[in-house]
Amino acid sequence: GMHVMALSLFAFALCRGYLLGLWRALLPVLAAFFYIALAGFSPSAVRAWLMGSILLLAPVLKVDFDLLSALSLAALVSTLAGPFVAYSASFQLSYLAALGIALLYGPLDGLLSGFPALLRKPLAVSLSAQLGIWPLFARMFGTVPLLAPLSNLLVVPLCGLLLPALLLSAL
């Protein structure tokens, strides 16, 4: 999901000053759609695209963005397009991770208030996503990845730096 949002935000930033209104939001939505098409419409990429599209289009349509509503709408659209997608591990893990972030990020951010913000916020996101998937992960695989939140502290910022460079090189 992060790579789809990074592409959308990158395209959105490129449009600054050149396009206004609906077109400034629509171009990144279309760019990300072509990207997820090339990636084979994986459930996690489709979720990220749908939620990112709602995020980018909300200000243009003069509506408030709500994470739980966007997640619910993305799940509804995905399952209407292909009802059996709900049985895939990719769909279930992606939506549970996003639900974990939506529900647990705020409380975890508060619990980690003693940490510096540069470390606290990424750790709260990583922990909330992991806590969201752990029950399903344990049922599916018989284990939970206890070190994943810590390893994500290294991997996610690195991906955040490398992804724009990769997108530029692809262009």
Side-chain angles (χ1 to χ4, degrees):
M2 182 175 66
H3 58 285
V4 175
M5 270 312 288
L7 172 66
S8 297
L9 293 174
F10 179 69
F12 187 74
L14 287 178
C15 294
R16 182 175 292 159
Y18 299 107
L19 298 172
L20 299 173
L22 179 62
W23 289 108
R24 183 167 181 215
L26 205 51
L27 188 65
V29 167
L30 292 172
F33 179 80
F34 287 115
Y35 179 78
I36 67 166
L38 289 172
F41 293 108
S42 74
S44 58
V46 170
R47 180 205 48 79
W49 175 73
L50 288 166
M51 291 181 70
S53 299
I54 294 167
L55 176 67
L56 291 173
L57 291 169
V60 175
L61 301 174
K62 297 187 182 353
V63 295
D64 292 330
F65 177 82
D66 175 70
L67 186 57
L68 285 174
S69 297
L71 182 63
S72 300
L73 183 59
L76 177 66
V77 170
S78 291
T79 54
L80 285 175
F84 292 108
V85 73
Y87 292 106
S88 75
S90 176
F91 177 92
Q92 294 170 8
L93 291 169
S94 179
Y95 279 87
L96 283 174
L99 182 63
I101 293 168
L103 297 177
L104 301 174
Y105 171 77
L108 284 172
D109 189 47
L111 280 174
L112 300 170
S113 61
F115 287 79
L118 190 62
L119 182 63
R120 182 183 77 237
K121 299 218 178 272
L123 184 58
V125 169
S126 181
L127 274 172
S128 57
Q130 292 297 315
L131 288 172
I133 67 165
W134 276 354
L136 180 64
F137 209 90
R139 185 180 68 77
M140 293 175 107
F141 305 110
T143 185
V144 292
L146 295 175
L147 293 178
L150 295 176
S151 64
N152 282 343
L153 287 178
L154 300 172
V155 174
V156 170
L158 183 61
C159 287
L161 294 172
L162 293 176
L163 214 49
L166 291 172
L167 291 172
L168 281 174
S169 69
L171 290 175

